[in-house]
Every structure is written in structure tokens, then in C-alpha cells.
């Protein structure tokens, strides 16, 4: 199978696969918004999925402290660290079955230090603020951005940004930092303004919920001579997100190897 194309992550100097692998399902199956329940995968299943992702050309992994044991499992199971772009987050923890948010300087610093230990790495390629929805308040009324910048200056983090929830927050994120992660799909297009800003100012832009948290079915791939794609809603959704020139990568969370192969094949055929 043809490997995924890579795109620049704004002006960070990083190059990322146009599909990234989200890893919430590696470590958390409580209080999630996916359409069906799932057991956490075994270590062997995660190793096989990571190997497959690499073979398909995926080099971007998205994780977070709020994803349960995801960071710890990735640190234990991931090989060839420098071949991957690791994106983690600060601000949200998942404790006793619920999300807890803390954007204070000391907590942010300790969160990054813990992520480095859990992921068994000396640096994080990307660290995003995991917003609670009060984007502008976090950006302007806490020490979070300054703390991230200091960690970046120390070389522990290569690029910083926010997984935002508002248009104003996404725009302010890109004014202050390197990368925004926004919700973008055919049903939710308000944050396209943030994507346009990213394109115009050479900032990194990651898309979440392109498939509406798994509520869209997978694309069906035809193997006919002309390699046509009979795209259902999911295939169209991937085309919709990736056709926007401001998008660096779309993050898709899966623990199903067949889903991963099918999504990559759909993107490759759409790009050919």
C-alpha cells in the first residue's frame, strides 16, 4: 500500500502524516463519546497496530494524560522514538471516572515532566493545552502559555498550542503559539476560520472529530481496475477535512487494524 503523504506542521519544522493516530482507546474506555463500548487492547495488539501505522506511513501519535494509561503504554511499547512525532497535552486529568482541569503553572510543568517519564523520552514534539471550553480565559488569565513557552525554551518541548473549543480561542492560540487543534467536519464548520488563519500565517493545524467521534461509518473501497472509491459518509468526511489546504493532519482514533488500513487506503485513493 502507498504510504500516506506528509504535510508541514506549520512553521515548526516538523513534517506529519496527513492522518495521525489518536490513542485515547489505548488507555481509556470510560466516559468517552464513541458510539460503542470497547475493551482496552492488549500490549501485543497495540504493538501490532503501531507497526501497521508505521508501515502505512503514519508518524503522528496523539496522546494525553486524560487518556488513562495511554502515555504509559506508549512509552513501554513504542520503538524507534525519533521516527515518531509525539503530541501530548496539559490541563486535563481523568481521575476517578471524571475529568479534572488545572492550568496553573506548577501543574502544567509537572504534567509535562510526568509525560516525559511516561513516554520514556527526552522531548515532546508537540504539547497542546487540553481546553475545558474556556479558551480565552486559559490563554489570557493563567500562566499556562508562559509555562509552555519556558518548557519549549528548555528544549523539552518542540512546539506548543491548544486543542481549542471556540473560534476566538483557536485564533488567539495561533497568535500566541504554533499549533491549534480544532473540530472540523461537514456538520461543524465554524472553526474553518481558524484553519484559514493557520494557512495564511503558516501555523500548524490539527483536526479532531473529522468522523464525529466514530459516528460515521467507514469508507468502502472498491478493488476494480480503475481503483474507484465507493465513498460513504466517512470517506467524504476525510476528503472534506483534508481538502482544506490549511489542515496539517487529521487525527483518527482507532484500535482496529482494518479500520486503519481502510482509512489510509481511502485517503491515498482520493489523493491519486
Amino acid at each position: 500500500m502507498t504510504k500516506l503523504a506528509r504535510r508541514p506542521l506549520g512553521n515548526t519544522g516538523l513534517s506529519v502524516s496527513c492522518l495521525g493516530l489518536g490513542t485515547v482507546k489505548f488507555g481509556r474506555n470510560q466516559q468517552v463519546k464513541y458510539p460503542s463500548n470497547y475493551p482496552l487492547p492488549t500490549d501485543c495488539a497495540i504493538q501490532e497496530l503501531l507497526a501497521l501505522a508505521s508501515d502505512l506511513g503514519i508518524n503522528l501519535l496523539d496522546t494525553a494524560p486524560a487518556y488513562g494509561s495511554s502515555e504509559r503504554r506508549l512509552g513501554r511499547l513504542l520503538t524507534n522514538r525519533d521516527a515518531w512525532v509525539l503530541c501530548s497535552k496539559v490541563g486535563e486529568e481523568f481521575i476517578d471516572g471524571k475529568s479534572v482541569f488545572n492550568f496553573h503553572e506548577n501543574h502544567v510543568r509537572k504534567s509535562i515532566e510526568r509525560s516525559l517519564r511516561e513516554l520514556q523520552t527526552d522531548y515532546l514534539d508537540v504539547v497542546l493545552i487540553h481546553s475545558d471550553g474556556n479558551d480565552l480565559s486559559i490563554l489570557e488569565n493563567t500562566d499556562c502559555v508562559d509555562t509552555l513557552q519556558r518548557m519549549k525554551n528548555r528544549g523539552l518541548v518542540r512546539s506548543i498550542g491548544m486543542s481549542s473549543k471556540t473560534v476566538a480561542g483557536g485564533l488567539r492560540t495561533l497568535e500566541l503559539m504554533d499549533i491549534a487543534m480544532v473540530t472540523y467536519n461537514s456538520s461543524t464548520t465554524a472553526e474553518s476560520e481558524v484553519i484559514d488563519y493557520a494557512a495564511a500565517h503558516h501555523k500548524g493545524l490539527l483536526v479532531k472529530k473529522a468522523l464525529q467521534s466514530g459516528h460515521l461509518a467507514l469508507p468502502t473501497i472498491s478493488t476494480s481496475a480503475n481503483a474507484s472509491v465507493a465513498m460513504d459518509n466517512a470517506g467524504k468526511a476525510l476528503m472534506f477535512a483534508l481538502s482544506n489546504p490549511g489542515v496539517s493532519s487529521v487525527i483518527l482514533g482507532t484500535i482496529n487494524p482494518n479500520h486503519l488500513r481502510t482509512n489510509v487506503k481511502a485517503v491515498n485513493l482520493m489523493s491519486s
Side-chain angles (χ1 to χ4, degrees):
M1 182 182 293
T2 304
K3 290 195 174 186
L4 283 169
R6 293 189 178 179
R7 299 181 177 186
L9 188 59
N11 57 12
T12 66
L14 298 167
S15 178
V16 293
S17 49
C18 61
L19 291 182
L21 179 60
T23 66
V24 62
K25 291 183 178 180
F26 286 15
R28 176 176 162 185
N29 57 6
Q30 296 176 308
Q31 300 296 314
V32 290
K33 298 178 181 180
Y34 295 101
S36 58
N37 296 327
Y38 54 90
L40 295 182
T42 64
D43 283 359
C44 182
I46 290 176
Q47 287 176 312
E48 291 176 354
L49 191 70
L50 291 171
L52 174 63
S54 180
D55 288 344
L56 295 172
I58 293 173
N59 75 330
L60 174 60
L61 296 176
D62 179 66
T63 186
Y67 296 171
S69 59
S70 172
E71 287 188 320
R72 184 166 62 255
R73 301 188 79 186
L74 280 173
R76 188 173 70 247
L77 301 173
L78 194 66
T79 59
N80 197 11
R81 161 67 181 97
D82 289 342
W84 298 93
V85 175
L86 291 183
C87 172
S88 191
K89 304 180 185 71
V90 295
E92 182 181 356
E93 309 278 341
F94 187 69
I95 302 172
D96 296 330
K98 64 179 181 180
S99 288
V100 178
F101 294 90
N102 189 333
F103 304 102
H104 295 148
E105 175 183 1
N106 193 49
H107 184 271
V108 170
R109 178 179 55 79
K110 288 184 176 180
S111 178
I112 291 174
E113 291 171 349
R114 180 187 59 201
S115 292
L116 291 167
R117 291 193 303 271
E118 298 276 35
L119 289 163
Q120 299 185 31
T121 182
D122 296 329
Y123 65 95
L124 297 170
D125 297 287
V126 181
V127 173
L128 305 177
I129 300 168
H130 221 158
S131 177
D132 62 359
N134 298 300
D135 296 350
L136 289 179
S137 179
I138 297 165
L139 293 169
E140 297 178 351
N141 300 324
T142 75
D143 296 320
C144 198
V145 175
D146 288 343
T147 305
L148 289 178
Q149 188 61 57
R150 285 194 293 272
M151 300 299 273
K152 181 179 175 182
N153 292 342
R154 290 174 56 191
L156 299 176
V157 176
R158 291 186 170 180
S159 56
I160 58 177
M162 175 182 268
S163 178
S164 55
K165 294 189 176 182
T166 64
V167 173
L171 292 172
R172 186 62 175 150
T173 293
L174 294 179
E175 290 174 359
L176 295 171
M177 297 183 285
D178 308 307
I179 300 163
M181 178 184 281
V182 303
T183 298
Y184 183 61
N185 56 61
S186 58
S187 300
T188 309
T189 60
E191 291 174 87
S192 62
E193 184 178 350
V194 182
I195 301 175
D196 292 343
Y197 184 97
H201 294 83
H202 307 290
K203 296 297 182 95
L205 197 291
L206 304 175
V207 167
K208 57 188 174 182
K209 301 180 182 178
L211 300 185
Q212 300 179 30
S213 297
H215 288 79
L216 294 178
L218 286 166
T220 300
I221 306 299
S222 168
T223 57
S224 61
N226 62 0
S228 62
V229 182
M231 289 188 296
D232 61 10
N233 290 336
K236 293 175 182 177
L238 291 173
M239 175 178 283
F240 178 85
L242 289 170
S243 64
N244 191 314
V247 172
S248 305
S249 184
V250 173
I251 305 298
L252 297 178
T254 186
I255 49 177
N256 186 315
N258 289 329
H259 289 180
L260 192 62
R261 289 189 191 93
T262 305
N263 282 321
V264 170
K265 190 168 186 177
V267 170
N268 284 335
L269 288 175
M270 286 184 288
S271 301
S272 62

